[in-house]
Structures are given as C-alpha cells and as structure tokens.
Amino acid sequence: MSVEPTAAPLRLGLAGLGTVGIGVVRILQREAALLSARAGRPVAITAVSARDPLKNRDADLSGYAWETDPVALARREDVDVFVEVMGGHEGPARDATEAALRAGKHVVTANKALLAHHGQALAEAAEAAGVALRFEAAVAGGIPVIKTLTEGLAGNRIKRVMGVMNGTCNYILTRMEETGQGYNVLFDECARLGYLEADPNLDVGGIDAGHKLALLAAIAFGTRVSFDAVELEGIGAISLDDIRHAAEMGYRIKLLGVAQMSGRGLEQRMTPCLVPARSPLGQLQGGTNMVVLEGDSVGQIVMRGAGAGEGPTASAVMADVIDIARGFRLPVFGIPARDLAEPVAARAATPAPYYLRMRLLDKPGALAKIATCLGEAGISIDQMRQINQEEAEDDDAIVLFVTHKASPADIEHALGEFERTGVLVEAPVAIRIEQV
Amino acid sequence: MSVEPTAAPLRLGLAGLGTVGIGVVRILQREAALLSARAGRPVAITAVSARDPLKNRDADLSGYAWETDPVALARREDVDVFVEVMGGHEGPARDATEAALRAGKHVVTANKALLAHHGQALAEAAEAAGVALRFEAAVAGGIPVIKTLTEGLAGNRIKRVMGVMNGTCNYILTRMEETGQGYNVLFDECARLGYLEADPNLDVGGIDAGHKLALLAAIAFGTRVSFDAVELEGIGAISLDDIRHAAEMGYRIKLLGVAQMSGRGLEQRMTPCLVPARSPLGQLQGGTNMVVLEGDSVGQIVMRGAGAGEGPTASAVMADVIDIARGFRLPVFGIPARDLAEPVAARAATPAPYYLRMRLLDKPGALAKIATCLGEAGISIDQMRQINQEEAEDDDAIVLFVTHKASPADIEHALGEFERTGVLVEAPVAIRIEQV
C-alpha cells in the first residue's frame, strides 16, 4: 500500500488541451509527489492530442509525445488511460473513446453528452474489455457526486435525486432577482462573459443539465441512460414578474433537475421549479452547483461546489485517474451494464404544489370562473393573491395562486379549462413547486 | 463485473447490536439483492456479538451465529470483515479490532474515539496485514466525507477542513436562538430526549467532534492523527446575549471544527465560532451536520446530512463494506501510515476577525481605555456597538466590538490588558469569527 520505487507508472494519454486539459496538466506537474503517494504509483502524462499543436497554451508540454489524431492517441502502446476532455458526442470524441476501449485502455471522460447519448454501448464495451470508464467530471464539475452515488451511498435505495447543475442558468436567474434586469439582458451579459456554450441552447435550454441528470438517474435507479425521456424546459420564458412574485411568497425559481422512480416509472425532469427560498437549493446563488441525494437509510445528503472551471473539473478528472491507479474497479453505472433495466419513462406524475399566474379581464365573475376550473379539476388552493393594479395594464387583474399538491395532469387539464372561460388576457403561467 | 452465481460471499461479523448494529442488520436483510448487485458478490452477516444475547432487539437474528466475546467473533473462520459498532476506545472494542487485524480480517468501524486515540497503530497493523480498515461511519454519520477526502478530492492539496459535526451541540445552539431559552434548560431537554452521550462532556465539551476533526485532519494533511493537539472548547459558556448580539450583526454561533496547515504547523480547533448567518454553515439548523472541504483545485465543497442515527450511520458502514466487497484497497488515511508526517501542533495562529463583548463601568474614559488597549495590541476595529442600558445592570455599559483580522495571540494579549484597565465589570468574551 505504499509507493514502491519500482511501481509501474500509470500513463495517461490526454485528448484535448482546452481549459480542462490544461488544468489536468497543471495538477500533474505541480503535485507529482503528492499524487504518487496517494495513488500508490507514479501518475504521468505520456502523450497528448489537440486540434492545434502550435497554439500557445501557457503550460510546458515539451515532455509529452504529440498526436494530431485522438484515435491514434487512444491506441498508443505507452498509454494506459485515455483521458478525453475534448467534448462533443459524435466525431473524434466518440471515435477515440471507442478506440480506447477496444484497445483495452481505461477511459476517463468529462463528456456528459457522449455518455448521455452512448452510455449504454460504451459501458458494455468497457465492461466486456474489463477496463474502467469513469466520468466524475461530466456531472456537477468538482462535486464528487458520481462517487457519492455509486459508492458512498451504495447501501441505500435511492428515492430521489435533484440538482442545480448548470451554473450559467443559475447565474442568470440569480442576477434577474438581484438586479431586476430581464432574461435577455442577462443572456447577452453571459455571452459577453463567455459563460455560454457555442450553442447557448445547451445551457439555457436545459440540455447540458439534462445530460447530467440522465447520468445520475441511471446510477441512482439502476436503469439504462435515457436522455430522450428527460422532460426538458429551459429558462427563457421565466419572467421578472414570476421571480418577484415567487420571492414575495418565500420561493426562488431554479432550473432544477429531478429524477425519481414512481409507481408509473422513471420520472426525469429538468425544468424551472419554485423551491423554498430558505432551503439549501433556494439559497444557492450564482454559478455554483448543488446536488441533493435522498436515500432510504441516509436521508438527504446535500453537496455544493463549483460546477465548472479549470480547477474543479480537473480535480474530478484526477479523482478518477487516481482511483484507476489504485486499482478500483466497479461497473460504469454501479451495477453491470447488461443488468441495467430499460426504464419505463413516466411524464412527471408525482403530485406537487403549483404556482399559477394569470392575467384576467377585470370583469365580474372572472375570478370565480378560474376558481371553478380549479375546483372541478380537483385542485385546492393554498394561497391566492391579487396583484395591485399598478402592475396590471388597463383593466386587467393579475392573480396568483399557490395550490395544494396536485398531479401534473390535473394542472394541465385546469390550464386547458382556463382558456375556455374566455377571461384570460394571455396564456397562464404554471410552475411546479418542488418540495425539497 | 457482475454477480456470478459462484462469487464468494463476503461474510461479516457484527460486533454490537445497538442502534447502528441493528441498522446494518436491517439494510442487509431488506436489500440483499440490490447490495449483491452493487458489490458484485453476496454480502451477508454470519455471526454477531453483543453484551446481552437475550435482549429483544426487534430484528430477526436467528440466522446468525452468536458470540459473547467480540474477540472470538473477530477471529472466526467464517468472518471476512469485522464490523465494530460497539464504541469505546479501550476494552472490548480495541481488543477485538486488534484481534481482527492480527487474524487478517478487514475491519469496518464507526468508532471515532478508538481511531482518534489509536489510529496510527491500527493503521500500521492493517497495512502490515494487507487488510482494509475503514471508518466512514466514524465521522459525520451518513455524510461520505472520508471517501470524499481520500478519493473524491485526491487530486487536491487540501487547504482547510471545517465542520459542524456534533448534532447535539448544534441543536442546543439553534434552539437557544429560536426559543430564547438558556444553555442549561436546553441541556436538560437534550438529556431527557436521549440526545446526550453517557458522558455529556463528549458532546457539549466538543470531545466527540474533536475526535472527528482529528481524523479528517490526518487525511487532509497526510499527518498522524493527533487528537491531543486539538484545541478544544465546548459550548457551555455560550450565553443567550452572545447569540442575540451575533445575530444582530449577521452571524450565528456554531461549535465549529477547523483544521488547516499554516506556516507554523497544523492548527486543529474545535471551538465556538461566529460564522456569517447567510453562509451554508450559518444556515445549518438543528441536529444536521455539515463539512466544508477546501482544495487548491476544486475550491470549496460543502456536504450536509444527518450526522447520527440508525439509518445514516448504517449507510456509512455499508458503503465501507461494499467497497471492501468490490476489492477497493487504499491506505487507511489515504497514504501509507508509515509515511504520515508527525505534525507540528500549532495553537491557532491564523488571523481572523473577533467578536468581543465586555461589560464596562459606566464612567468617563472607560471606553477610551479599552480602545487604547486594542490599538496598542495592533488590533483595528471594524464595528463597535454600545448596547442600550435596559440590558445592562445599574451603571454598567455593555460594549461589543467586531475587530478586523487579528492574530489569536494579539487578541489574548489585548484581553489581558483589558483586565489591567480596571474598567471591566466581568471577564470579557472573545469569540473567533471564522471566514467561511
């Protein structure tokens, strides 16, 4: 259990020299002795690949062999672990990962999209080859949530997994509340600050966070990754009014991922939700991530940390590398891939309270018609507020409801009925209140 | 990587059938199939021991062999892992743990006191025997903090570790603020509710939490466990006045453990501190635990969960058992025990702001004398408040200061000088404000 002078080094092939890749280089160069002591053997990069070998990266890469083709890197004789930090769920990242597994190399990846789309096939390939495929860096950056779920809580039947896992979305929502600036202004600010993916819909549309949720759900419930079954809704339609009204009633709006197994099947949602402002999720400000794990024995475990950035993501990559160096082997998703169940996808079925906002024509009986719709849908009302007239235009009245627990289907039905009353000035807003 | 029908079961010998032991029995009986799938092999109890075999424990123990002597249990042929959940750092727990290691058995323990006192010798024995010695359940109950520190953050140089790790103390402090009841009333309430150890000083004196901190410090900094070097101060002297004044200035008082390596050596403190009321530590209410880990790459990771109780503690025991079943082996404290450095114990040296409260004779020049002492000690003042006279008796004046960052030595010097001014009515209170 100690570093023998003769212990074989673990040799890394690093594909991708962007922020995360350079972060890995820096940790390995700065802390070689410490990492070797922890890993029980030296850990060193032998070869790297990147699109442009001539780019100045402010790191000394002279000791490493270069490959222009990541597939060639993945197959090198002098590589034991292929570290994939390029990104993209097709093309070079996928080709090189598959090549590495076929060549019997361990793989460490930060690529949530790749695993969300091809996790099952890659896990089967890794397990058939008897090598590790690890992806701590793919979910919630520096927070070791994959390890916590697969190992730290392995004695639990998991009841629910929740997470705020896209820092850009949480930054936008937090700043909307703080500054009173609208979504579009803050979207532009994020674009200027470089907080957005090349395709911003990956962030604000909830896709990136949805990839992460699908991976957590697979581990939590022993099911095949099924990203296509994630109910996705981005933050683009969240208004300042809703943020303000939610705050007045003691809530905050978050882009919240929730996965839980109900009687009907596996629910996976990545949607805006209200959460109590005083809960850990409600108190999460800015770009930080949070994951909440609920197990039958352990109760609720909350983890909070940086979800992105050079250091945190490289920290997660290094944890996987050191586990491999220590000889830890476990199935990719915690149980063997061939034993993962095909999940029955359930559209959100778990009842919850809802926040409803609507603009009504200010005429006698309008509110009564809405209340009747709710009553007929079997939805009871916990709080009702009429917003003062200054905010409403002309003769309109803005009305807010917080309902008691209602099924999503009943809420949807009621929303349809509202339209038929003829008293709505615009489409009503309904946002789930997740009980955390 | 899957459960082969022929895979050898991992056989547990369970010493202790109190709350935690019965929790382990219940999980194993309830989730045998799930745990086997995750562990890659069956996991089963073969034998148990407890002081009183006849006690009714509301669990079916008929399938297990019984031993009255835990040492005999530890040596049984049909036991692979000795699970020690008896408690006590001498006597049967120590004897049986040593016997198990000598017999080449893996050990999983929830015993913080045992490891805080004998961790080095036990770790060396385990590593010499080539077996695992794991203790996730010993620190912060269900929160997988040992795993996070030794594995999840293995790529980091750890800068600081903090934790609220005694639920009873946090419950008392929280209830003092909520109810305005004094320490003694709430201490008695805890005694009635069964929240206190047989020796309550283990809780309210900070000893139990100090054991946990010493274990975290060893892992975080690669040093030998040195519980004797932990600066310990309990919560018995915390007054309602201080809790109220702290709240008015935006702080809460917590029994906070802090370990950090400074230029002078390893600082380990388990003492009451002020923390910002809006920080995750400040928001921690009731009996819940929280650990904050700071690494050079990952930044700050916060973990929150139940620190005690049947389910959470058994969850942590099971995580260790499943790791052993999966074949994971790492040194007890993350690096080989013989390579752990002997720490240089440093009394708190890291500067911090301080909260000072004092009762002064209400006569001209009194405040000036105190301010002069602070100035001469090189301590500058961030906030000063004089509390309204209703609270002070007779002619006294109560004065609060929040200082800028000052070294603990300078604060101690200033406190001595205050006494010499002759204007203090009673001993001054000084509480560190930990910057979190």
Side-chain angles (χ1 to χ4, degrees):
Chain A
M1 288 198 182
S2 73
V3 189
E4 305 299 332
T6 54
L10 186 75
R11 300 164 303 174
L12 313 183
L14 178 64
L17 290 168
T19 305
V20 180
I22 292 298
V24 171
V25 168
R26 290 209 176 105
I27 292 179
L28 280 161
Q29 292 182 347
R30 191 174 66 225
E31 298 291 0
L34 180 65
L35 298 177
S36 294
R38 290 179 179 163
R41 56 198 283 203
V43 176
I45 295 170
T46 47
V48 297
S49 75
R51 255 178 303 200
D52 177 2
L54 297 176
K55 187 174 160 188
N56 179 10
R57 293 185 171 85
D58 195 23
D60 178 7
L61 306 172
S62 59
Y64 313 140
W66 272 85
E67 296 280 356
T68 43
D69 176 9
V71 173
L73 179 74
R75 291 181 179 145
R76 283 177 68 102
E77 282 282 319
D78 59 0
V79 164
D80 304 310
V81 182
F82 178 66
V83 180
E84 190 273 293
V85 289
M86 297 180 285
H89 67 272
E90 301 298 342
R94 183 181 181 187
D95 296 343
T97 299
E98 289 174 348
L101 297 175
R102 274 198 302 271
K105 314 293 190 184
H106 305 293
V107 172
V108 172
T109 179
N111 194 327
K112 61 221 80 163
L114 178 69
L115 284 166
H117 285 94
H118 308 297
Q120 182 66 26
L122 292 172
E124 287 180 11
E127 290 167 23
V131 296
L133 166 58
R134 306 198 54 139
F135 55 97
E136 188 65 82
V139 180
I143 304 175
V145 60
I146 303 293
K147 176 172 282 287
T148 298
L149 210 41
T150 50
E151 304 172 28
L153 305 187
N156 288 262
R157 190 167 286 274
I158 300 298
K159 310 302 251 181
R160 183 170 62 159
V161 173
M162 297 186 286
V164 170
M165 296 186 286
N166 184 281
T168 302
C169 288
N170 204 49
Y171 175 84
I172 290 175
L173 293 172
T174 303
R175 291 274 293 164
M176 284 173 77
E177 181 173 349
E178 282 172 3
T179 67
Q181 292 175 299
Y183 171 80
N184 291 327
V185 174
L186 289 162
F187 179 92
D188 292 346
E189 178 181 312
C190 284
R192 273 200 313 280
L193 293 170
Y195 290 0
L196 286 167
E197 301 270 354
D199 172 4
N201 199 40
L202 289 174
D203 287 312
V204 297
I207 298 169
D208 162 85
H211 288 151
K212 297 169 185 170
L213 183 73
L215 298 176
L216 290 182
I219 295 170
F221 303 108
T223 49
R224 293 175 172 226
V225 184
S226 54
F227 169 66
D228 290 345
V230 177
E231 184 186 334
L232 277 183
E233 189 186 320
I235 62 168
I238 300 297
S239 74
L240 277 171
D241 282 347
D242 289 321
I243 287 179
R244 194 174 58 247
H245 298 321
E248 287 160 6
M249 293 190 289
Y251 295 100
R252 288 221 169 86
I253 300 179
K254 299 288 174 191
L255 179 66
L256 184 67
V258 180
Q260 66 194 128
M261 193 67 82
S262 74
R264 303 197 194 184
L266 175 63
E267 291 183 30
Q268 302 178 86
R269 318 174 227 120
M270 179 58 68
T271 60
C273 288
L274 270 67
V275 295
R278 291 172 57 96
S279 66
L281 282 165
Q283 289 160 347
L284 190 72
Q285 303 284 304
T288 310
N289 280 19
M290 182 173 284
V291 180
V292 179
L293 307 172
E294 294 174 350
D296 60 350
S297 290
V298 79
Q300 191 182 71
I301 296 285
V302 179
M303 305 180 82
R304 179 186 193 274
E310 174 184 318
T313 314
S315 166
V317 168
M318 287 309 306
D320 282 343
V321 166
I322 292 171
D323 273 1
I324 290 171
R326 282 170 166 164
F328 293 5
R329 300 289 179 270
L330 81 170
V332 177
F333 293 103
I335 65 170
R338 64 168 181 273
D339 297 337
L340 293 165
E342 189 67 59
V344 176
R347 243 189 92 81
T350 307
Y354 276 77
Y355 160 93
L356 305 176
R357 174 171 61 85
M358 55 205 91
R359 187 185 288 269
L360 307 184
L361 291 173
D362 189 18
K363 54 183 196 185
L367 185 57
K369 286 187 179 170
I370 295 298
T372 303
C373 292
L374 287 169
E376 287 177 357
I379 298 166
S380 61
I381 297 167
D382 179 33
Q383 289 184 54
M384 197 278 285
R385 291 191 182 198
Q386 180 147 352
I387 300 301
N388 60 40
Q389 290 301 317
E390 294 150 49
E391 281 186 43
E393 282 167 34
D394 306 327
D395 299 337
D396 304 346
I398 294 173
V399 181
L400 308 178
F401 295 95
V402 170
T403 72
H404 284 293
K405 273 191 189 181
S407 78
D410 287 343
I411 291 289
E412 222 162 288
H413 174 73
L415 293 178
E417 293 301 306
F418 291 167
E419 304 276 7
R420 296 158 56 100
T421 60
V423 302
L424 290 186
V425 178
E426 59 186 22
V429 170
I431 309 178
R432 184 181 175 94
I433 302 178
E434 190 71 24
Q435 299 195 296
V436 300
Chain B
M1 288 199 183
S2 72
V3 189
E4 305 300 331
T6 55
L10 186 76
R11 300 165 303 174
L12 313 183
L14 178 64
L17 290 168
T19 305
V20 179
I22 292 298
V24 171
V25 168
R26 291 209 174 105
I27 292 179
L28 280 161
Q29 291 183 348
R30 189 174 67 225
E31 298 291 0
L34 180 65
L35 298 177
S36 294
R38 290 180 179 161
R41 56 198 285 202
V43 176
I45 295 170
T46 47
V48 298
S49 76
R51 255 178 302 199
D52 178 2
L54 298 176
K55 186 173 160 190
N56 179 9
R57 293 187 170 84
D58 195 22
D60 178 8
L61 306 172
S62 59
Y64 314 139
W66 271 86
E67 296 280 356
T68 44
D69 177 8
V71 173
L73 179 75
R75 291 182 179 143
R76 283 177 67 101
E77 281 282 317
D78 60 359
V79 164
D80 303 309
V81 182
F82 178 67
V83 179
E84 190 272 292
V85 288
M86 298 181 285
H89 68 272
E90 301 297 341
R94 183 181 181 187
D95 296 343
T97 299
E98 289 173 349
L101 296 175
R102 271 198 303 272
K105 315 291 190 186
H106 304 293
V107 172
V108 172
T109 179
N111 194 326
K112 62 222 78 164
L114 179 69
L115 284 166
H117 286 95
H118 307 296
Q120 181 65 25
L122 292 172
E124 288 180 9
E127 290 168 23
V131 296
L133 166 58
R134 306 196 55 137
F135 55 97
E136 188 65 82
V139 181
I143 304 175
V145 59
I146 303 293
K147 178 172 280 287
T148 297
L149 210 41
T150 50
E151 305 171 27
L153 304 188
N156 287 262
R157 188 167 287 275
I158 300 298
K159 310 302 252 183
R160 183 169 61 160
V161 173
M162 297 186 286
V164 170
M165 296 186 286
N166 184 282
T168 302
C169 288
N170 204 50
Y171 175 84
I172 290 176
L173 293 172
T174 302
R175 292 274 293 164
M176 284 174 75
E177 181 173 350
E178 282 172 4
T179 68
Q181 293 175 296
Y183 171 80
N184 291 328
V185 174
L186 290 162
F187 179 92
D188 292 345
E189 178 180 313
C190 283
R192 274 199 313 280
L193 293 171
Y195 289 0
L196 286 166
E197 300 269 355
D199 172 5
N201 199 40
L202 289 175
D203 287 313
V204 297
I207 297 168
D208 163 84
H211 288 151
K212 296 169 186 171
L213 183 73
L215 297 176
L216 290 182
I219 295 169
F221 303 109
T223 48
R224 293 175 172 228
V225 184
S226 53
F227 168 66
D228 292 343
V230 177
E231 183 185 334
L232 277 184
E233 189 186 318
I235 62 168
I238 300 297
S239 73
L240 278 171
D241 282 346
D242 289 321
I243 287 179
R244 195 173 59 244
H245 297 320
E248 287 161 5
M249 294 190 288
Y251 295 99
R252 288 219 170 87
I253 300 180
K254 299 288 172 192
L255 179 66
L256 184 68
V258 181
Q260 65 193 129
M261 193 65 83
S262 73
R264 302 196 194 184
L266 176 62
E267 292 183 28
Q268 300 178 88
R269 321 175 225 118
M270 180 58 69
T271 61
C273 287
L274 270 66
V275 295
R278 292 173 57 96
S279 66
L281 282 165
Q283 289 160 346
L284 190 72
Q285 303 283 304
T288 310
N289 281 18
M290 182 173 283
V291 180
V292 179
L293 307 172
E294 294 175 349
D296 60 349
S297 289
V298 79
Q300 191 182 72
I301 297 285
V302 179
M303 305 180 82
R304 179 185 192 275
E310 174 184 318
T313 313
S315 166
V317 168
M318 286 309 306
D320 282 343
V321 167
I322 292 171
D323 273 1
I324 289 170
R326 282 170 166 164
F328 293 6
R329 300 292 179 269
L330 83 169
V332 177
F333 293 103
I335 65 170
R338 64 168 181 272
D339 297 337
L340 293 165
E342 189 65 61
V344 177
R347 243 187 93 79
T350 307
Y354 276 78
Y355 161 94
L356 305 176
R357 173 172 60 86
M358 56 203 90
R359 187 184 288 268
L360 306 183
L361 291 173
D362 188 18
K363 56 184 197 184
L367 185 58
K369 285 186 180 170
I370 295 297
T372 302
C373 292
L374 286 170
E376 285 177 358
I379 298 167
S380 59
I381 299 167
D382 180 32
Q383 290 184 53
M384 198 276 284
R385 289 192 182 197
Q386 180 147 353
I387 300 300
N388 61 39
Q389 290 300 316
E390 295 150 49
E391 281 186 43
E393 283 166 34
D394 306 326
D395 299 337
D396 304 344
I398 293 173
V399 181
L400 308 178
F401 294 96
V402 170
T403 73
H404 284 292
K405 273 192 190 180
S407 78
D410 287 342
I411 292 288
E412 222 161 289
H413 174 74
L415 294 177
E417 293 301 306
F418 291 167
E419 305 276 7
R420 297 157 56 100
T421 59
V423 301
L424 290 186
V425 177
E426 60 185 25
V429 170
I431 309 179
R432 184 181 175 93
I433 302 178
E434 190 71 23
Q435 300 196 294
V436 300

